[in-house]
Amino acid sequence: MFKDQIVLITGGAKGIGYAAAQQFAEMGAQVVINDLDADACTAAVRSIQEAGNIAWSMPGDVTDPALPELLIREVMDQCGQLNVLVNNAGFTWDGMLHKMTDKQWRRIQDVHTLAPFRLVRALAREWRPLAKAEIAASQSHPHRCIVNVSSTSGLHGNIGQINYATAKMGVIGMTKTIAREWGAFGIRCNAVAFGFIDTRLTRPADEGHTFTVDGEQVSLGIPENVRKAAFSTIPMGRPGTPEEAANGIILMASPLAGYITGHTLEVTGGLGI
């Protein structure tokens, strides 16, 4: 389905991003994995290569203002093209509104909205001239699309996540705007909003998963009583797997969604209906 296409996935070394990278590769894509964790990035690429598929490691912090331009340029130089961009990198830094700091707010906006914006802006310098030249020559467009990762927190809000909910709703507005601006060039842009997916962000808090932000350890995970209460609100009665979440990304990036753009696909097990 993605034979000889180049797919760039941010946050692609673990969880949903890694599951998506594996699936893209199994369907013929050559996958470029970006992740903050360079060691995990290398391990993810090695695993995909050992399965007989093609992948590259391009680690780095997407919130670094210089990285988006460098990353897109490196992909184009090394691979010669880019067909699919998946803006997946992100994390949560929860807190009740009255206790949330400016730093918590800004960091979540940076990773979930500013970084994808910068990547898409950098990509515009590559894709738009190519598309204009194809139109002028009456040539067909190669497959080009963007998939942005959102969340039900953005769609419905969530207690303790005003920063994350705001950012993830912003992703939806960004997605619709890109779809409107770039549709004429044959470029699609869609979002996938995940519900309760079994990753480090939603595992039991006592498992001790953390994320380092400017030298500060941020705890990940959800208290077990909150997890159990959340399960009761999911019509399917369980969290989704990273592979099930990745299926949504694959669907929106695939030719099966060839006339779908500006849409937000909910992959939630029915949560929020």
Side-chain angles (χ1 to χ4, degrees), residues 119-125 127-128 131 146 176-189 261:
L119 278 161
V120 173
R121 182 176 60 185
L123 192 54
R125 299 189 179 101
W127 277 3
R128 284 171 58 94
I146 298 164
K176 292 179 181 292
T177 301
I178 296 166
R180 284 181 176 272
E181 290 192 8
W182 291 12
F185 302 113
I187 300 168
R188 298 185 299 110
C189 184
T261 193

Side-chain angles (χ1 to χ4, degrees), residues 26 33 42 45 54 56 60 69 81 87 92 111 130 145 149 161 167 171 173 187 189 198-199 203 212 223 229 245 258:
E26 289 166 2
I33 296 178
T42 299
V45 166
I54 300 174
W56 288 275
E69 293 277 356
Q81 65 182 33
N87 281 311
T92 53
V111 71
L130 289 172
C145 75
V149 171
Q161 289 193 322
V171 167
I187 300 168
C189 184
D198 188 20
T199 68
R203 295 295 298 163
T212 303

Side-chain angles (χ1 to χ4, degrees), residues 97-116:
L97 186 154
H98 62 287
K99 295 181 179 180
M100 185 162 291
T101 65
D102 285 356
K103 182 178 180 179
Q104 281 176 278
W105 176 271
R106 284 194 301 267
R107 200 69 170 91
I108 293 300
Q109 308 311 311
D110 284 352
V111 71
H112 291 285
T113 58
L114 183 55

Side-chain angles (χ1 to χ4, degrees), residues 249-265:
I249 294 173
I250 298 296
L251 172 61
M252 299 313 285
S254 79
L256 296 173
Y259 196 59
I260 300 173
T261 193
H263 180 67
T264 300
L265 176 70

Side-chain angles (χ1 to χ4, degrees), residues 80-197:
Q81 65 182 33
L82 178 58
N83 301 96
V84 180
L85 168 63
V86 180
N87 281 311
N88 169 73
F91 64 98
T92 53
W93 195 356
D94 295 348
M96 298 299 283
L97 186 154
H98 62 287
K99 295 181 179 180
M100 185 162 291
T101 65
D102 285 356
K103 182 178 180 179
Q104 281 176 278
W105 176 271
R106 284 194 301 267
R107 200 69 170 91
I108 293 300
Q109 308 311 311
D110 284 352
V111 71
H112 291 285
T113 58
L114 183 55
F117 160 71
R118 285 172 172 161
L119 278 161
V120 173
R121 182 176 60 185
L123 192 54
R125 299 189 179 101
E126 303 294 337
W127 277 3
R128 284 171 58 94
L130 289 172
K132 288 179 179 179
E134 290 156 4
I135 292 169
S138 300
Q139 296 174 346
S140 60
H141 299 296
H143 179 233
R144 298 185 182 109
C145 75
I146 298 164
V147 180
N148 295 321
V149 171
S150 185
S151 168
T152 52
S153 292
L155 295 175
H156 308 296
N158 199 22
I159 293 171
Q161 289 193 322
I162 191 167
N163 54 353
Y164 185 71
T166 300
K168 287 306 191 183
M169 177 53 82
V171 167
I172 294 172
M174 183 189 307
T175 298
K176 292 179 181 292
T177 301
I178 296 166
R180 284 181 176 272
E181 290 192 8
W182 291 12
F185 302 113
I187 300 168
R188 298 185 299 110
C189 184
N190 291 291
V192 181
F194 296 125
F196 203 109
I197 308 298

Side-chain angles (χ1 to χ4, degrees), residues 195-242:
F196 203 109
I197 308 298
D198 188 20
T199 68
R200 292 180 303 156
L201 303 187
T202 60
R203 295 295 298 163
D206 59 11
E207 288 187 1
H209 295 291
T210 61
F211 189 87
T212 303
V213 181
D214 300 330
E216 181 178 348
Q217 291 291 314
V218 177
S219 297
L220 302 176
I222 300 173
E224 187 60 26
N225 64 321
V226 176
R227 281 169 49 84
K228 290 180 179 178
F231 295 167
S232 68
T233 67
I234 303 172
M236 291 186 70
R238 62 171 179 83
T241 67

